[in-house]
Amino acid sequence: MNIPTIFQKQKEYFNTNETKNVKFRIAQLKKLKQVLKKNEALMYEAIYKDFSKSEFETYATELGIVYHEIDTFIKHIRTWSRKKRVGTDLANFPGRSYIIPEPLGVCLVIGAWNYPYQISLLPAITALAAGNTVILKPSELPSQTSKMMAQMINSNFPAEYFRVVVGEVSVTTQLLDLNFDKIFFTGSTQVGKIVYQAAAKHLTPVTLELGGKSPTFVLADADLKMAAKRIAWSKFLNAGQTCVAPDYILVEKSIEDKFLSILKTEIENNYSQEKVEENYLQIINDAHFDRLNRLLEVASDAGCVFYGGNTDKSNRFISPTLIHNNSFKDEIMQDEIFGPLLPIISFRQLDDIIQKVKDRPKPLSCYIYGKDRKNINKILKELSFGGGCINDSVMHFTNSKLPFGGVGSSGMGSYHGRSGFNTFSNMKSILDKPVWLETSLKYAPYKSWKFKIVRWLLG
Ligand code: NAD
């Protein structure tokens, strides 16, 4: 079935109102969970072929999160979909006011490659839970995983309700020509701009989940051992190919040497040669390997590689690497790294370093390791970013009660749990007026006594 036909069928199906039925939605979510569970072994196999991702990481960072979100929706959509009464002002007495959440219609979800199951399925599930139909276009880079998703979804759900379409940029371009009711995009800031422009043609609302350089502060009073442990885990998870990974470290000069040495030990403990084999991922493709390798070579030529820096092109391997003595001017500090290279910049004055971060595009995440609430609050107050953690990194993503999204060039809109439900819904506002009372107040002729009362009513 070609793309315009799928789209047309979804439009028609949405108009039957079947997806608006909450019982129907819950049944579909339960079915989806069963389909995923049944295919779990095949999904592990596909993602391993794409970039050697282990079953543990695939479950913990992808499938487990997807199952949890499905359960959250099954539990809450009845309540979230209900009409909600709100207050009514005096001017509208004796009316009643309420909000009716309604699905938007036919939604396009475009996924990135780095957590291919989670990043594609999570927004798709959210859209379905809110009563929409979905066309999902996963990234073409992890080809086995995308094929797997298409096979699994398309053989279990009708195209008029939920369809996975695989393909390269040309396929996305075709999709972006259509008049969707919502576009949810996860990917780079650069492609986000293309999506935003395409959506503008039809005034389609968009959510953009983009990337950026996420700073991580390590303040002098931080618990250095814990900071190193959590930073090493969150940076080298998925071989650094994580949108919310700490992109670079800002460490206070007074603890710099100590912190570097603890961080190095932490990496050695987790990713020694034999542990790397089973716990560490490949870089997704040759182009990304070459890009990262170039950054590494520049750092190496400048004598800045503090630890790691081992590579093997034959299996797209780059070891966890610490890059030291950086400045904001270095090439590695210009774009999102999206790989296992971690630059570390030291600072003496918090105010100065905050200003440096402020001068850059707003990041997706920010992490602060430290104890003094005055300093922590200062960073929270002064810097704008999508979300983050204090004394941890990445984990805010896993709490579905926290809306997840970026700000400025790291994105717009949010999802996860309730905020995702709202993202894929229109909050229809209704004022419901009885007919037994009507004053002449708002009608002409506009006498001065009427004006006085209107002034009194509106303030
Ligand atoms: P990308 O922007 O290259 O691709 C994303 C999607 O857009 C893919 O499906 C791709 O096929 C499509 N695409 C690529 N070029 C296109 C074009 N010219 N026109 C139309 N469609 C096009 O991103 P990526 O490399 O897959 O993912 C990495 C980026 O995604 C990083 O910047 C990362 O930070 C970001 N990301 C953000 C989040 C988040 O939740 N905020 C999550 C994961 C990844």
Side-chain angles (χ1 to χ4, degrees), residues 14 20 30 34 91 135 178 210 274 276 280 293-294 303 311 313 352 355 449:
F14 181 75
K20 292 182 181 167
K30 285 185 177 161
Q34 270 171 8
I135 298 180
L178 300 168
L210 311 176
E274 68 278 10
V276 148
Y280 196 66
N293 197 37
R294 221 188 72 75
T311 62
K313 191 170 164 105
D352 296 346
Q355 190 53 50
W449 65 268

Side-chain angles (χ1 to χ4, degrees), residues 109-115 118-120 137-142 167-174 176 184-192 194-195 208-213 241-245 284 288 336 338 364 397 404-406 410-411 415-416:
V109 172
I110 304 173
W113 59 263
N114 57 330
Y115 288 83
Q118 185 239 102
I119 272 168
S120 297
K137 210 303 275 176
S139 167
E140 66 280 16
L141 263 56
E168 312 231 334
V169 174
S170 60
V171 171
T172 322
T173 308
Q174 248 192 85
L176 287 174
F184 189 105
F185 171 81
T186 305
S188 60
T189 302
Q190 194 192 353
V191 179
I194 297 174
V195 171
L208 300 176
E209 297 284 343
L210 311 176
K213 288 184 88 63
Q241 303 165 106
T242 303
C243 58
V244 284
I284 186 71
H288 279 284
E336 183 181 7
F338 225 57
L364 180 60
F397 183 91
F404 178 78
S410 59
Y415 73 132
H416 287 191

Side-chain angles (χ1 to χ4, degrees), residues 55-92:
E55 288 188 17
F56 180 89
E57 273 202 33
T58 306
Y59 191 89
T61 67
E62 307 218 29
L63 300 182
I65 293 178
V66 168
Y67 294 147
H68 184 74
E69 195 78 339
I70 292 179
D71 291 343
T72 302
F73 285 124
I74 291 174
K75 190 166 165 206
H76 293 290
I77 45 176
R78 221 175 274 284
T79 317
W80 293 347
S81 311
R82 250 181 231 143
K83 170 170 102 176
K84 268 163 225 58
R85 281 287 295 272
V86 294
T88 302
D89 51 348
L90 197 55
N92 286 306

Side-chain angles (χ1 to χ4, degrees), residues 29-47:
L29 291 175
K30 285 185 177 161
K31 179 177 166 187
L32 180 56
K33 189 170 172 185
Q34 270 171 8
V35 168
L36 294 173
K37 289 258 177 203
K38 213 173 87 194
N39 286 282
E40 222 177 81
L42 291 172
M43 287 198 280
Y44 289 139
E45 215 175 281
I47 203 166

